[in-house]
C-alpha cells in the first residue's frame, strides 16, 4: 500500500509534541513525513499538516501514534474500523497491546511508556511489542531515541515501569525540594540551594551510571565514621526513608495495575 505520510498522530499533547520536536531536530523525519489529527490545533504545527478528522490520518499514514488519554481512545475506538496503517504506536497508559490491536484493526502494535523528561530530550522510554515485525520495532525505537534512552521490557512488567520511570520524576522532584529546603534552613538562599541540589543530583546520578561500585559502596565512600554525612544517612535509616520510598513505589504500581483493569 502506498501511504501519503510516514507517521501520523491521533492527538497532539505535550508528549506528542516532544516526539515531533525530537524527530524534526534530529532530522529523522521531516515535516512532510508527518500528519496530525487534533481538535486543539487549527493550523499547521511546526509546518506539519493537521486535521480534525481521525479517519483521514488513519487511512493515509504508514505508522500511527496514539497520543490520547485512554478514555478519549475508548470514545473514538469505533473510528478505527477504517484504520489502514500497518503499525500502531501507543503511548497510552494502562491499555495493553492486545487491546489496542483488537480495537484498532491492526496486528502490529508497539507500546511505549515514556516519561516527562522526554520533553527536553532527557527521558527514558520502555518499549514492548505485539506481533510487530523487526522493521516496525526498529523504526519505533529510532523515533524514541530522538528524545530518550530506550529500554525493551516485557509488557507484563509495564506497571512496574510506571512506578519507577513513568512516575519517577515526581519522586526526584520531591527529594530535590527537600534538599533545597534543608539548604535554606542552613542559611542559603533559594537559588543557591537549588543550584547546589540540582548539580549534586546530576553529578551523583552520573557517578552511579559510570562507577563499577554498587550503591552501598558509593554511599559508604561519602560517609566517614563520626563525620557529617553519616549523621544524615543514620537519620534517614531511623525514619525508614528507604522503606517508605519502596512502599510508595509499590502503591504506585498497584494503582497502575488497578487502572489497567478498568
Amino acid at each position: 500500500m502506498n501511504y501519503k505520510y510516514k507517521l501520523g498522530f491521533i492527538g497532539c499533547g505535550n508528549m506528542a509534541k516532544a516526539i515531533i520536536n525530537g524527530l524534526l531536530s534530529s532530522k529523522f523525519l521531516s515535516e512532510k513525513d508527518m500528519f496530525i489529527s487534533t481538535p486543539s490545533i487549527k493550523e499547521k504545527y511546526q509546518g506539519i499538516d493537521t486535521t480534525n478528522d481521525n479517519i483521514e490520518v488513519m487511512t493515509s499514514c504508514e505508522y500511527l501514534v496514539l497520543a490520547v488519554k485512554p478514555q478519549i481512545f475508548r470514545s473514538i475506538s469505533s473510528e478505527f474500523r477504517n484504520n489502514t496503517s500497518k503499525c500502531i504506536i501507543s503511548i497510552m497508559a494502562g491499555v495493553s497491546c492486545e487491546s489496542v490491536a483488537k480495537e484498532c484493526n491492526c496486528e502490529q502494535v508497539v507500546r511505549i511508556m515514556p516519561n516527562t523528561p522526554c520533553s527536553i530530550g532527557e527521558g527514558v522510554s520502555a518499549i514492548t511489542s505485539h506481533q510487530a515485525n523487526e522493521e516496525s520495532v526498529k523504526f519505533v525505537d529510532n523515533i524514541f531515541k530522538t528524545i530518550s534512552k530506550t529500554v525493551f521490557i516485557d509488557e507484563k512488567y509495564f506497571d512496574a515501569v510506571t512506578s519507577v520511570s513513568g512516575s519517577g520524576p515526581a519522586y526526584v522532584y520531591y527529594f530535590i525540594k527537600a534538599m533545597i529546603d534543608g539548604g535554606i534552613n542552613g542559611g542559603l538562599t533559594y537559588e543557591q540551594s537549588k543550584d547546589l541540589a540540582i548539580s549534586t543530583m546530576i553529578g551523583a546520578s552520573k557517578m552511579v551510571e559510570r562507577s563499577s561500585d554498587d550503591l552501598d559502596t558509593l554511599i559508604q565512600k561519602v560517609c566517614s565514621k563520626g563525620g557529617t554525612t553519616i549523621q544524615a544517612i543514620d537519620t534517614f535509616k531511623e525514619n525508614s526513608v528507604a522503606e517508605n520510598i519502596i512502599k510508595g513505589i509499590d502503591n504506585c504500581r498497584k494503582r497502575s495495575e488497578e487502572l489497567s483493569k478498568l
Side-chain angles (χ1 to χ4, degrees):
M1 181 173 178
N2 292 322
Y3 295 97
K4 185 176 180 182
Y5 302 93
K6 186 73 173 179
L7 185 64
F9 291 82
I10 304 295
C12 194
N14 291 333
M15 190 56 66
K17 288 176 180 175
I19 295 167
I20 290 166
N21 293 340
L23 290 170
L24 294 176
S25 296
S26 67
K27 294 182 172 53
F28 182 68
L29 293 179
S30 72
E31 297 88 342
K32 293 180 180 179
D33 294 319
M34 293 181 275
F35 194 22
I36 300 168
S37 174
T38 175
S40 61
I41 299 174
K42 304 303 180 184
E43 299 177 356
K44 287 188 176 185
Y45 175 74
Q46 300 281 54
I48 299 167
D49 290 338
T50 61
T51 179
N52 59 9
D53 185 346
N54 292 331
I55 295 174
E56 187 180 1
V57 175
M58 294 173 192
T59 56
S60 57
C61 297
E62 184 176 1
Y63 292 87
L64 188 66
V65 178
L66 290 183
V68 295
K69 296 183 183 300
Q71 58 268 32
I72 294 175
F73 170 64
R74 293 184 180 101
S75 71
I76 64 172
S77 60
S78 62
E79 297 180 11
F80 283 90
R81 67 171 66 96
N82 302 285
N83 177 53
T84 60
S85 62
K86 78 173 189 180
C87 180
I88 300 290
I89 304 164
S90 172
I91 62 173
M92 296 186 297
V95 184
S96 69
C97 285
E98 188 174 356
S99 295
V100 171
K102 181 179 178 181
E103 294 291 337
C104 293
N105 185 35
C106 186
E107 288 188 358
Q108 294 191 59
V109 176
V110 182
R111 181 181 172 192
I112 317 294
M113 173 59 71
N115 61 7
T116 53
C118 287
S119 64
I120 59 168
E122 294 289 345
V124 60
S125 300
I127 302 177
T128 193
S129 62
H130 173 80
Q131 296 185 358
N133 61 33
E134 185 178 350
E135 178 187 12
S136 294
V137 172
K138 184 176 181 180
F139 178 73
V140 176
D141 184 32
N142 286 333
I143 288 174
F144 283 87
K145 277 181 176 175
T146 68
I147 57 171
S148 65
K149 178 178 180 178
T150 58
V151 181
F152 286 86
I153 296 178
D154 192 292
E155 187 172 26
K156 67 182 178 181
Y157 300 118
F158 258 47
D159 293 312
V161 170
T162 297
S163 70
V164 176
S165 64
S167 301
Y171 316 155
V172 177
Y173 305 150
Y174 189 86
F175 195 80
I176 290 174
K177 183 179 184 300
M179 289 178 68
I180 293 170
D181 289 344
I184 291 171
N185 287 346
L188 298 173
T189 66
Y190 174 80
E191 290 301 327
Q192 287 172 331
S193 194
K194 178 182 176 182
D195 188 33
L196 290 168
I198 291 172
S199 296
T200 299
M201 186 69 72
I202 293 170
S205 296
K206 289 181 178 179
M207 282 284 290
V208 173
E209 183 179 47
R210 299 175 187 178
S211 177
S212 59
D213 292 329
D214 60 30
L215 283 162
D216 286 332
T217 301
L218 288 173
I219 291 169
Q220 289 304 315
K221 283 187 173 181
V222 187
C223 296
S224 300
K225 187 175 181 179
T228 57
T229 309
I230 194 67
Q231 297 302 311
I233 296 298
D234 284 347
T235 301
F236 295 157
K237 290 179 178 178
E238 289 166 10
N239 288 276
S240 302
V241 172
E243 289 83 354
N244 283 318
I245 291 171
I246 294 168
K247 183 179 179 180
I249 291 172
D250 286 345
N251 287 337
C252 178
R253 185 188 68 253
K254 290 172 185 176
R255 181 55 177 161
S256 179
E257 291 169 352
E258 290 172 0
L259 291 173
S260 65
K261 294 173 183 176
L262 294 178

